[in-house]
Amino acid sequence: MDISLHQLLQQFPQQVVNGLVQGSIYALVALGYTMVYGIMGLINFAHGEVVMIGTLVAITVTGLLAAAGMPVGIAGLCGLVISILSCMAIGWSLERVAYRPLRGSPRLTPLITAIGMSIVLQNLAMILWGRNYMTFPPLLPKVNFEFAGAYFTLVQVVIVLLSALMMSGLVLLVYRTKLGMAMRATAQNPEVASLMGVNINRVISAAFVIGSALAAVAGVMVGSYYEVAHYQMGFVLGLKAFTAAVLGGIGNLVGAMVGGILLGLIEALGAGYIGYFTGDFLGSHYQDIFAFAVLIVVLMFKPSGLFGEKTGDRA
Amino acid sequence: MQAKLSAVALSIAAAFALSACGPKEEAPPPVAAPAAPAAKPEVVVKLGHVAPMTGPQAHLGKDNESGAVLAVEELNAQGLEIGGAKVKFQLVSEDDQADPKQGTIVAQKLVDEKVNGVVGHLNSGTTIPASKLYADAGLPQVSPSATNPKYTQQGFKTAFRVMANDVQQGKVLGEFAAKQGVKTVAIIDDRTAYGQGLADEFRKAAEGLGLKVVANEYTTDKATDFKAILTKIKSTKADLVFYGGMDAQGGPMVKQMKELGIKAKFLGGDGVCTPEFMKLGGPAADGQFCSLPGVPLEQLAKGPEFKTKFNTRFGYDIQLYAPNAYDAVMVIADAMKRADSVEPAKYLPEVGKTNLEGVTGKIEFDEFGDLKSGAISLYQYKGGTLSYVETLGGAPAPEAAPAPAEPAAAPAAPAAPAEAKK
Amino acid sequence: MKNLLSPRSTLGIVLIAAALIALPFVVGMAGQAWVRILNFAILYIFLALGLNIVVGFAGLLDLGYIAFYAVGAYTWALLASPHFGLHWPIWAILPVGALLACFFGVLLGSPTLKLRGDYLAIVTLGFGEIVRIFMNNLNAPINITNGPQGITLIDPVKFGDFSFATRSEFFGVTLTGPYKYYYLLVALAILIVIVNLRLQDSRIGRAWQAIREDEIAAKAVGINTRNVKLLAFAMGASFGGIAGGIFAAMQGFVSPESFSLIESIMVLAMVVLGGMGHIPGVILGAILLTFLPEMARYAVTPAQVALFGKVLIDPESLRMLLFGLALVLVMRFKPSGLWPSPERSRELAEKTAGVAK
């Protein structure tokens, strides 16, 4: 393809916007992974499915209320609230059923239960919501902006702001509140923390509930951005978010945010420019590889991710 | 065990049927079907149906199955007699999860169960490895929707399809793009066997007709975000975006094109010619083009009937290939009637000689088992419905030479085109 | 292992051999499809045993294992199909496939040596995806893998004129393709199990265990952890390569969709569910996870009809739902797998529960 340099420069602002929004979505989901990992050292593989359920619950509730004559905005708000509540319930029970009984068992055991729960949630969603793709009602008014040649919508702005807000909120929670202190203590050494009077069961439950609430918010944002939802949407999203969390240094909240945005930017700019730089040998069909390649390179030089602390012997 | 017993009983019954003394035995009730208190002597003809019933394409699998179910129910209502015995068709439905490995397992299962013919599979990825098993067993296989040219090029006498293949469709789409006065095109495919195959054929046809391909971009069949590749396409100022892929990606794609301010037209194959595409694309779907194999309903006598029948029977709309699955069943039944036998070995030669007025158009096979007339119709989305534009490629429109109406094959048409009175 | 030839062991071996010979006929009574499933179960045993070397013996979490299976499958497909017009014999392809997979194992292993636990998991996962994506896209500019269309008409396993795909007769018994493949697979499986047993008790096996338990201590006692880890990746990968080759020959068709992440996860689930690091356990895990979903396919519909009088829930979703639940429940009540090694269960019993790390 003979794309001129001018064309390449022309698409740059738009690609940055694309990457930023996609990255913020990854970040929103990655925060949930990192939250749980930071405290328990456990990959909650089912997190992506919680996001999916959050989206589908919001669709159903919003649809029902809107059909009953409620204005879409308010119906959407109700949908969001109910979605958050149901995801919190799911997160809480997930931990009780699949993870708590396994504390102290071999490291891979909870990974398998997580995969099992992921399969269960996905198929449950398929039974409840069916197999078809669903449309998500647009919750925010369709306002378009143009800036420096880049087009963007109100939903996109909200997504970027919201993920930054969520991350700051979490940082405040972890470093400024009593619960946060208990969380950090549990993360460092659960036994000592419990000797100091920290109820580690409650702390871990709290981490799961908060992580799941974030998942619901992420789900609703993803849904209202793409206006599409499906019972399998959680898997790929979860995978990308997990990659983002590791890239930033899993367990680190700022790292999750940075990792997510970085991943989004790599994907967008990679898809946009790789063909140009490799003389069309590589193209956007290798888009999913860029993220992993960058991840591998980063981990080769910084084995704990960009912002990760050195982890102990956890293998 | 039970499957094997019933299979044995079935072949005995079939043997009776062949010796034309009429079956004296009642085949045991099939495993999945509700026990029907049938007193009359009859032969149960099992037809295998394979499609993904789980996973991302499950909705299409269910759609195919429904089409086949409808055909089987109609055939049974007609009370056909083949080889002197009353036949009762029964659908043995299997799930291949769109996974090639599962595809061969369920194919073996159908071979073991001694089904008399196979309708399926849905995906080329599973149809191709399974076709070898059916070929070894001498079992006629009619795929409603596997469009990969390779399926019929392996040299198996048992492999047929009742849908134009990717080469036929891609070519017509290229011709259509040229006819629209388009100068430059951007091509996106989803890196599946279907999407890539179609896009490749489109590219060849388009370049052959002097169009300029200004961008080749790619996505996956699980993606939801296409903004990065669309942004790149926007900078090339292509007149047309061609997409080789399915509705679940195509719908959001046209939406995102609009959000990015891309003015180019959108053209896709049968994968995006669905109600789903319209639902997911919303207003952005308006004005876009897509193609469906076969001839639209207004050119077929009993067109809307199929859609109505389908809706009344199942309570939901046709997704995509249900009419083809329906036709696939009818092709097999028709061949059985002409051979006056339900034995695969006896009626297989007749499948190749099919000349049937199907729901999706005229069905005649070439020496490979591909449709002779691979007629393709083009549609445009207008005001929430698909409106017919024109039919390209293949033989002249079937109404020109109406074949003697086969009682078994009630002609109907693809579901989607609802209006269009041009 | 020491008194392998005592009368009791001899009797045991004879019984096991008789059972293995008779098995496909017993299973085949329910239909030949079950023999085919049995064959896939044995292929999964290869894979699970290979992954067990990496995960179970050396304690390195690998989520991209299926990549090696893919490498093996594509090696066979390219060297024995009309795609390049090559038709190499089995004794040439299998070693090439194993070696190539081995090479990829080292390729994956070397940059990830410093990584631990979950970091390793995500990198291996990424590696698996990278291999799949390349296979899916290497049809242009030069057509190597034929991209998403896959490769058709792959040669079956053949020794001279004796093909495993066709029907043939032995001593009055007619054997069809799946039966013949079964015996080939069992023979290979026995070989692989023996290699694994020998490995486990060898110096290398001990070194892997040492790394699994405490890498720093292992280094301190003079184990070259780098080489030993690479060896684990290489050995594990080569088993995957062999399995892949047979898979391609059995199927006659390969395409990248057979090598998705889900497959890696399934194999890992087999290893963990069966009992990591314990060879009989891993074999059990592979067999169970191949057969259970298939059996559920038959059980779910009749069970619903019996309970409710009609099919309420789509049988396929229910089947997977039950599969997921089974994974959770087994892990819940047998955290170190269904059949863990004796040492492992002892260690666990000593550990006090209730601690997260």
Side-chain angles (χ1 to χ4, degrees):
Chain A
M1 292 332 93
D2 36 25
I3 299 176
S4 68
L5 191 64
H6 172 70
Q7 282 176 326
L8 284 172
L9 288 177
Q10 203 186 10
Q11 56 165 306
F12 186 76
Q14 184 71 57
Q15 293 292 23
V16 169
V17 169
N18 297 342
L20 209 60
V21 174
Q22 181 76 68
S24 298
I25 289 172
Y26 293 156
L28 267 177
V29 183
L31 285 171
Y33 272 106
T34 251
M35 181 95 194
V36 167
Y37 190 92
I39 291 164
M40 296 180 69
L42 171 117
I43 307 170
N44 179 15
F45 242 90
H47 190 67
E49 312 306 336
V50 180
V51 176
M52 174 267 296
I53 297 214
T55 318
L56 295 182
V57 166
I59 286 189
T60 306
V61 173
T62 312
L64 283 178
L65 290 180
M70 200 182 266
V72 177
I74 301 171
L77 211 61
C78 294
L80 177 67
V81 170
I82 292 175
S83 156
I84 290 176
L85 290 177
S86 10
C87 282
M88 285 166 113
I90 291 170
W92 184 81
S93 17
L94 204 63
E95 195 266 333
R96 288 303 292 260
V97 174
Y99 301 133
R100 184 173 297 181
L102 295 172
R103 273 185 227 158
S105 55
R107 265 193 64 72
L108 282 182
T109 310
L111 189 68
I112 300 295
T113 49
I115 291 167
M117 286 314 291
S118 180
I119 296 175
V120 168
L121 287 177
Q122 221 181 74
N123 283 283
L124 215 56
M126 176 164 150
I127 290 169
L128 289 175
W129 280 282
R131 302 183 170 105
N132 289 349
Y133 279 77
M134 279 182 276
T135 47
F136 198 96
L139 297 182
L140 292 166
K142 294 220 170 199
V143 187
N144 293 295
F145 306 94
E146 200 193 330
F147 179 75
Y151 288 73
F152 50 97
T153 58
L154 185 60
V155 192
Q156 290 179 305
V157 178
V158 169
I159 287 177
V160 175
L161 291 180
L162 201 66
S163 62
L165 203 72
M166 289 282 172
M167 186 212 64
S168 324
L170 277 183
V171 170
L172 282 182
L173 174 90
V174 170
Y175 290 97
R176 289 279 185 276
T177 65
K178 231 178 147 184
L179 177 65
M181 198 193 285
M183 282 177 170
R184 281 178 291 140
T186 311
Q188 277 185 356
N189 191 329
E191 274 173 83
V192 176
S194 74
L195 287 177
M196 295 294 153
V198 174
N199 183 344
I200 55 169
N201 279 340
R202 268 188 55 195
V203 168
I204 290 173
S205 280
F208 265 90
V209 167
I210 294 170
S212 304
L214 284 176
V217 175
V220 173
M221 290 327 290
V222 172
S224 56
Y225 176 34
Y226 296 115
E227 300 177 16
V228 173
H230 186 229
Y231 75 95
Q232 287 201 321
M233 62 183 273
F235 186 74
V236 175
L237 192 60
L239 201 63
K240 291 278 174 70
F242 178 48
T243 312
V246 176
L247 188 64
I250 194 162
N252 184 307
L253 293 169
V254 180
M257 182 81 193
V258 174
I261 289 184
L262 208 57
L263 191 67
L265 286 174
I266 293 168
E267 284 189 356
L269 295 174
Y273 294 113
I274 193 84
Y276 181 72
F277 290 119
T278 58
D280 275 332
F281 177 71
L282 294 176
S284 49
H285 35 342
Y286 294 101
Q287 187 176 16
D288 287 337
I289 284 184
F290 310 146
F292 286 124
V294 170
L295 178 79
I296 291 174
V297 171
V298 166
L299 291 185
M300 269 168 80
F301 295 102
K302 285 198 63 106
S304 313
L306 293 173
F307 289 78
E309 313 94 60
K310 266 195 112 62
T311 40
D313 214 339
R314 263 182 182 152
Chain B
M1 221 30 221
Q2 196 186 352
K4 177 148 197 194
L5 280 180
S6 73
V8 170
L10 178 69
S11 34
I12 294 171
F16 272 113
L18 279 173
S19 55
C21 28
K24 306 265 191 300
E25 275 195 29
E26 162 79 33
V31 188
K40 278 176 280 182
E42 55 181 16
V43 184
V44 174
V45 176
K46 285 191 190 175
L47 294 182
H49 175 270
V50 193
M53 308 301 283
T54 47
Q57 293 174 345
H59 62 293
L60 298 179
K62 194 84 198 156
D63 186 46
N64 269 18
E65 191 196 36
S66 302
V69 164
L70 195 61
V72 162
E73 285 174 357
E74 267 174 35
L75 285 171
N76 287 340
Q78 287 170 9
L80 285 180
E81 287 198 11
I82 293 176
K86 197 168 174 317
V87 289
K88 181 173 181 296
F89 287 88
Q90 185 209 330
L91 205 66
V92 182
S93 191
E94 292 288 349
D95 172 22
D96 63 14
Q97 299 171 21
D99 171 6
K101 182 170 55 84
Q102 281 299 327
T104 53
I105 289 179
V106 295
Q108 180 74 57
K109 204 175 282 173
L110 292 176
V111 170
D112 287 349
E113 226 171 293
K114 299 245 165 23
V115 294
N116 302 57
V118 176
V119 175
H121 305 190
L122 188 145
N123 313 73
S124 298
T126 58
T127 304
I128 293 172
S131 63
K132 188 175 182 312
L133 275 91
Y134 300 131
D136 288 347
L139 210 54
Q141 174 191 15
V142 185
S143 171
S145 47
T147 50
N148 190 326
K150 273 194 176 172
Y151 162 53
T152 46
Q153 285 164 7
Q154 300 176 96
F156 298 146
K157 285 192 197 70
T158 47
F160 298 91
R161 71 176 121 217
V162 288
M163 172 173 273
N165 65 28
D166 291 341
V167 178
Q168 293 165 318
Q169 193 172 184
K171 216 175 116 207
V172 165
L173 284 164
E175 280 167 29
F176 177 73
K179 272 177 80 175
Q180 294 292 300
V182 165
K183 295 276 173 287
T184 52
V185 291
I187 300 175
I188 306 176
D189 78 63
D190 67 356
R191 300 315 290 169
T192 61
Y194 163 73
Q196 188 250 340
L198 192 64
D200 263 16
E201 292 306 328
F202 173 80
R203 183 177 300 116
K204 271 187 226 157
E207 281 174 343
L209 291 165
L211 301 188
K212 192 160 186 284
V213 178
V214 289
N216 288 302
E217 294 299 331
Y218 311 91
T219 182
T220 72
D221 59 344
K222 295 181 184 68
T224 43
D225 190 294
F226 312 99
K227 289 216 162 145
I229 54 174
L230 289 175
T231 301
K232 192 174 165 195
I233 286 172
K234 189 186 175 192
S235 76
T236 66
K237 302 198 169 59
D239 299 332
L240 178 97
V241 175
F242 177 84
Y243 178 57
M246 303 301 294
D247 48 8
Q249 280 69 41
M253 192 180 285
V254 289
K255 215 179 232 177
Q256 292 175 25
M257 276 170 65
K258 200 177 174 193
E259 279 176 20
L260 287 172
I262 296 176
K263 303 274 185 325
K265 282 279 163 244
F266 176 94
L267 172 68
D270 52 329
V272 294
C273 237
T274 66
E276 196 88 349
F277 176 82
M278 226 162 355
K279 191 177 88 185
L280 300 177
D286 226 43
Q288 315 299 6
F289 296 97
C290 64
S291 67
L292 279 173
V295 186
L297 83 157
E298 75 266 22
Q299 301 195 5
L300 290 156
K302 294 179 189 167
E305 197 186 308
F306 181 76
K307 194 191 174 188
T308 322
K309 264 191 308 199
F310 191 95
N311 282 4
T312 345
R313 169 64 180 81
F314 300 106
Y316 45 81
D317 282 337
I318 296 167
Q319 289 288 331
L320 199 54
Y321 305 126
N324 300 74
Y326 176 91
D327 272 358
V329 173
M330 289 310 185
V331 162
I332 291 178
D334 180 59
M336 285 175 173
K337 269 188 290 180
R338 277 181 285 117
D340 202 25
S341 167
V342 297
E343 276 285 281
K346 291 260 168 59
Y347 82 84
L348 175 60
E350 291 297 328
V351 181
K353 295 178 206 153
T354 297
N355 183 342
L356 187 70
E357 213 48 65
V359 168
T360 52
K362 186 168 195 86
I363 298 176
E364 270 183 291
F365 296 113
D366 63 11
E367 71 268 36
F368 296 109
D370 274 323
L371 280 183
K372 232 181 221 168
S373 77
I376 309 279
S377 301
L378 283 127
Y379 298 85
Q380 185 174 27
Y381 287 96
K382 270 188 194 159
T385 42
L386 266 181
S387 79
Y388 173 67
V389 180
E390 62 182 323
T391 301
L392 292 174
E399 94 246 85
E406 292 284 351
E419 42 137 56
K421 307 263 182 283
K422 272 185 209 152
Chain C
M1 283 305 292
K2 285 278 176 288
N3 43 3
L4 202 64
L5 291 176
S6 73
R8 262 183 78 185
S9 332
T10 316
L11 183 69
I13 287 172
V14 169
L15 281 179
I16 289 175
L20 283 179
I21 290 172
L23 188 61
F25 293 98
V26 178
V27 173
M29 275 195 264
Q32 255 196 76
W34 286 100
V35 181
R36 215 166 260 271
I37 294 169
L38 191 64
N39 289 346
F40 280 117
I42 302 175
L43 271 186
Y44 277 114
I45 292 179
F46 292 7
L47 289 176
L49 283 176
L51 183 61
N52 182 47
I53 293 178
V54 184
V55 179
F57 292 171
L60 304 162
L61 179 49
D62 184 351
L63 281 180
Y65 185 68
I66 216 71
F68 310 122
Y69 185 54
V71 168
Y74 266 89
T75 308
W76 185 296
L78 294 177
L79 294 181
S81 77
H83 184 61
F84 286 148
L86 296 173
H87 296 280
W88 288 22
I90 176 172
W91 46 264
I93 310 176
L94 268 196
V96 170
L99 272 179
L100 217 64
C102 204
F103 167 73
F104 272 88
V106 175
L107 200 70
L108 163 68
S110 37
T112 56
L113 285 171
K114 274 193 284 180
L115 303 179
R116 287 160 199 270
D118 308 298
Y119 290 93
L120 183 63
I122 186 71
V123 169
T124 50
L125 186 155
F127 176 81
E129 285 293 280
I130 288 174
V131 169
R132 186 185 60 82
I133 292 172
F134 267 103
M135 280 168 178
N136 205 25
N137 291 322
L138 279 180
N139 59 326
I142 309 156
N143 186 358
I144 301 171
T145 62
N146 209 24
Q149 310 290 339
I151 296 171
T152 48
L153 296 173
I154 300 170
D155 298 349
V157 177
K158 264 187 292 197
F159 291 110
D161 282 337
F162 182 80
S163 164
F164 277 81
T166 50
R167 177 188 299 264
S168 54
E169 211 167 293
F170 299 94
F171 315 110
V173 185
T174 314
L175 291 183
T176 53
Y179 284 88
K180 288 200 282 184
Y181 269 114
Y182 167 80
Y183 291 111
L184 176 75
L185 285 165
V186 164
L188 270 174
I190 291 171
L191 208 71
I192 285 177
V193 169
I194 292 173
V195 170
N196 266 284
L197 284 172
R198 304 291 298 165
L199 267 178
Q200 193 178 23
D201 290 328
S202 67
R203 273 176 64 95
I204 300 165
R206 304 261 180 242
W208 283 335
Q209 253 174 8
I211 290 180
R212 182 183 70 199
E213 297 305 328
D214 191 334
E215 193 174 335
I216 296 164
K219 220 175 196 159
V221 297
I223 293 172
N224 183 340
T225 54
R226 190 181 63 112
N227 287 359
V228 168
K229 271 186 178 180
L230 280 182
L231 195 65
F233 275 115
M235 294 287 305
S238 56
F239 288 131
I242 293 173
I246 305 280
F247 171 73
M250 248 165 70
Q251 288 283 88
F253 174 76
V254 291
S255 68
E257 34 181 345
S258 298
F259 311 104
S260 57
L261 175 62
I262 303 294
E263 289 286 311
S264 282
I265 289 177
M266 274 310 240
V267 178
L268 183 70
M270 289 168 185
V271 173
V272 179
L273 196 85
M276 262 202 305
H278 190 226
I279 293 166
V282 170
I283 295 176
L284 178 74
I287 293 175
L288 277 183
L289 286 199
T290 322
F291 271 90
L292 276 184
E294 288 306 315
M295 292 188 348
R297 194 191 283 274
Y298 288 91
V300 163
T301 307
Q304 281 198 60
V305 172
L307 275 176
F308 310 113
K310 59 179 175 182
V311 179
L312 272 185
I313 302 169
D314 176 48
E316 296 304 333
S317 3
L318 195 58
R319 182 170 73 91
M320 285 313 284
L321 192 73
L322 291 176
F323 176 69
L325 275 180
L327 280 186
V328 175
L329 287 178
V330 170
M331 289 289 101
R332 165 77 178 77
F333 294 105
K334 303 275 286 175
S336 45
L338 287 171
W339 192 356
S341 63
E343 307 112 65
R344 195 93 184 151
S345 13
R346 225 178 306 126
E347 281 164 29
L348 261 179
E350 284 163 16
K351 243 186 189 173
T352 41
V355 184
K357 279 199 184 169

